[in-house]
Amino acid sequence: MVHVNQHSDDVIAAVCSRVSVSELTEPAPSPQQREHIFRAALRAPDHGQLRPWRFLCVEGEERLQVGHIIADVEAQCYGELNEVQRQKSAHRLLRAPLVLLIVAHISEHAKVPDVEQIMSTAAAVQNMLIVAHAMGVGAMLRSGLVTYEPLLAKKLGLAENERLLGFLYLGTPSGAAKPIPALDVDNFFTHWKPL
């Protein structure tokens, strides 16, 4: 039997009001906030208990180091960047005080295909997004084509069986909050009908 706890209204409100926050500034989440955000990731659905998620914290000058790696990989994969493009690319992680590199650690498993492990990692990210929002921490999931380049994964030191899935930006919200889009549930949920 499932018991609805007294905080269910708060949980529903946090989930249903969550929006991405693109403008982030200092300070980064506090140690206590990080603990809550990170622990939320560990409650993602996880078929086979493979724990397929790994998150690399990047802050301070490390953000620029990772940014230069990204710019180098973009130049190698898509053609040389001009100075403006290179600077924009190299500075992309400076848009938040804390950035998590989202990594799916894929294990060979007879009953848990790669896609389920990637979905579990995505669910872990969603948990973090919701908990961050509930605590007033701004968060945004970012990616871009270069994210999925095997060369970038290699240059960042990921293992052969690991895939970079994106970047989770965390910080203090700055600027006006985005409006919540008015979506109709009935446009996305319908009854299945046999063929």
Side-chain angles (χ1 to χ4, degrees):
M1 179 176 175
V2 175
H3 297 282
V4 178
N5 84 37
Q6 60 186 358
H7 302 295
S8 61
D9 287 345
D10 294 339
V11 173
I12 293 166
V15 172
C16 293
S17 65
R18 192 210 72 78
V19 292
S20 296
V21 181
S22 58
E23 295 182 38
L24 300 167
T25 187
E26 298 280 358
S30 69
Q32 184 180 26
Q33 288 172 324
R34 291 181 197 213
E35 177 75 10
H36 291 307
I37 293 167
F38 297 172
R39 284 205 169 276
L42 310 184
R43 298 309 314 138
D46 178 19
H47 186 190
Q49 297 187 343
L50 298 179
R51 315 293 190 249
W53 355 267
R54 190 157 81 92
F55 304 96
L56 304 175
C57 300
V58 181
E59 51 195 324
E61 287 301 310
E62 296 166 346
R63 295 172 299 162
L64 199 52
Q65 292 171 8
V66 171
H68 282 295
I69 291 170
I70 293 169
D72 289 344
V73 170
E74 282 180 326
Q76 282 186 257
C77 293
Y78 310 130
E80 203 52 53
L81 306 176
N82 64 39
E83 190 55 32
V84 172
Q85 293 169 323
R86 172 167 275 286
Q87 287 302 311
K88 183 178 179 184
S89 193
H91 287 84
R92 69 174 67 192
L93 270 63
L94 299 180
R95 293 183 287 188
L98 173 62
V99 180
L100 305 184
L101 307 188
I102 302 162
V103 179
H105 182 86
I106 307 296
S107 300
E108 289 280 339
H109 195 284
K111 294 184 179 178
V112 187
D114 293 8
V115 67
E116 289 190 21
Q117 297 178 53
I118 291 169
M119 288 170 63
S120 180
T121 305
V125 173
Q126 179 68 2
N127 283 359
M128 289 193 286
L129 286 165
I130 291 167
V131 170
H133 174 68
M135 292 190 300
V137 174
M140 184 155 189
L141 174 60
R142 294 185 181 270
S143 56
L145 280 180
V146 71
T147 305
Y148 313 113
E149 292 291 348
L151 181 60
L152 180 58
K154 182 177 180 182
K155 296 280 188 183
L156 291 172
L158 304 191
E160 291 273 329
N161 65 326
E162 292 183 326
R163 292 190 206 172
L164 182 65
L165 299 185
F167 305 86
L168 181 57
Y169 286 53
L170 296 162
T172 300
S174 174
K178 283 185 181 177
I180 299 169
L183 301 176
D184 187 341
V185 170
D186 291 339
N187 289 338
F188 303 93
F189 292 82
T190 55
H191 287 281
W192 176 82
K193 294 178 179 146
L195 299 174

